[in-house]
Amino acid sequence: MAAYDKVMAARASDKLTSVDYIANMFGDSFIELHGDRRYADDKAIVAGIAMLYNMPVTVIGIEKGRNTKERMERNFGQAHPEGYRKALRLMKQAEKFHRPVLCFVDTSGAYPGIGAEERGQGQAIAENLMEMMTLKTPILSIVIGEGGSGGALGLAVADEVWMLENSVYSVISPEGCASILWKDSTKAPEAAEALKMTAQDLFDLGVIERIIRQPKADDMAMFESLKMLISRTFEKNLSLSDEEITSARYERFRKIGRPQD
């Protein structure tokens, strides 16, 4: 598939969303928690506690919705500042009890509306980036659709970042990039190729650690395999000291862009 075909697949209305992954992987063990304790509960962010086999984990996902009504309620996966603050509240809670944090990322970007800006959208995302970098518990982020700009990065400062094979992760959309560079949004396919935003491109560049096969709704074997991979990753990182966890996370981001030997 060409890069722009991957973009279209990442945006497809029939693909699985965060709540699907949570339901298939954690079932009734997932307990959703609400609110940022400051303003409101942002439904674009689904967050709570679940059991990964015998391991308690904190699960946070950006949710776009699966039909028109849900998409309106979820603001099409564009989180407000209260959504990022809710996510950070649960991450700090996870740190207190040394629970690993699992994030599902699927957003075109954080909500750019006036209300969100008035309530500190940029600051909320910046606080997440800063706090996640030094969070003293393992973090794993998986891009399951679109990973757009700071809205995605606000849940992707992790020990490892994985992507589904038909997902994308970029600082800007191909249409936005084409509009800026060529003043022509129809050049989005060319922009998508240049942005190197596909899972394979980012794996080759060392930006992500793993590419995951795209699961179907009834592919329970795939979900079980994904659970096992996540569990092993968390077990490995839980064996490290707090300083080792944060130092490795810091070095992960520092080495991105360095020439490879």
Side-chain angles (χ1 to χ4, degrees), residues 5-260:
D5 294 329
K6 292 284 182 79
V7 174
M8 292 295 100
R11 295 172 177 170
S13 60
D14 60 347
K15 70 176 180 59
L16 301 182
T17 66
S18 291
V19 295
D20 295 314
Y21 284 87
I22 291 170
N24 279 287
M25 292 172 63
F26 304 108
D28 294 337
S29 77
F30 178 71
I31 301 171
E32 187 174 359
L33 302 176
H34 299 274
D36 67 340
R37 301 298 187 267
R38 297 190 195 182
Y39 182 77
D41 181 45
D42 186 356
K43 292 186 178 180
I45 300 281
V46 177
I49 304 168
M51 293 299 295
L52 179 63
Y53 302 121
N54 294 321
M55 181 190 302
V57 296
T58 292
V59 184
I60 304 168
I62 305 177
E63 174 60 28
K64 284 186 172 183
R66 295 168 291 185
N67 53 52
T68 302
K69 181 181 177 182
E70 284 186 9
R71 289 180 190 122
M72 294 291 287
E73 290 177 348
R74 307 284 190 180
N75 201 35
F76 298 87
Q78 294 184 309
H80 291 77
E82 49 269 26
Y84 292 103
R85 290 178 181 132
K86 173 170 67 172
L88 182 58
R89 178 175 74 82
L90 294 189
M91 289 181 206
K92 297 298 286 185
Q93 181 193 77
E95 180 184 51
K96 178 179 179 179
F97 295 102
H98 211 55
R99 285 194 301 265
V101 177
L102 174 63
C103 297
F104 294 108
V105 176
D106 185 16
T107 181
S108 59
Y111 185 58
I114 293 174
E117 297 297 342
E118 289 175 340
R119 296 193 300 278
Q121 183 72 285
Q123 182 184 21
I125 294 172
E127 285 180 356
N128 277 31
L129 306 187
M130 179 179 70
E131 295 287 351
M132 290 179 76
M133 186 61 74
T134 58
L135 200 75
K136 295 179 178 65
T137 198
I139 311 171
L140 171 63
S141 296
I142 306 176
V143 182
I144 60 170
E146 285 186 281
S149 193
L153 194 58
L155 290 185
V157 178
D159 307 313
E160 294 187 21
V161 176
W162 302 352
M163 291 178 67
L164 296 187
E165 58 187 345
N166 291 336
S167 60
V168 293
Y169 188 26
S170 174
V171 69
I172 192 171
S173 70
E175 294 83 3
C177 179
S179 296
I180 292 170
L181 291 183
W182 298 297
K183 304 294 188 287
D184 183 1
S185 62
T186 64
K187 291 187 179 292
E190 291 93 323
E193 294 288 346
L195 284 167
K196 302 297 182 186
M197 62 195 303
T198 68
Q200 190 61 57
D201 287 331
L202 294 168
F203 180 79
D204 293 341
L205 290 169
V207 176
I208 66 168
E209 281 72 26
R210 188 183 292 272
I211 300 174
I212 305 296
R213 181 170 61 83
Q214 204 81 19
K216 299 284 194 302
D218 58 350
D219 192 352
M220 294 311 298
M222 176 59 200
F223 285 113
E224 186 63 27
S225 175
L226 183 56
K227 284 176 64 176
M228 290 181 66
L229 282 173
I230 294 168
S231 178
R232 289 171 187 162
T233 300
F234 281 153
E235 287 173 356
K236 175 189 71 175
N237 290 335
L238 281 169
S239 68
L240 303 175
S241 69
D242 292 346
E243 184 177 350
E244 287 173 327
I245 289 172
T246 54
S247 295
R249 190 181 304 143
Y250 180 79
E251 180 57 28
R252 176 190 182 274
F253 283 90
R254 291 292 293 171
K255 73 180 182 181
I256 292 174
R258 289 179 186 166
Q260 300 297 312

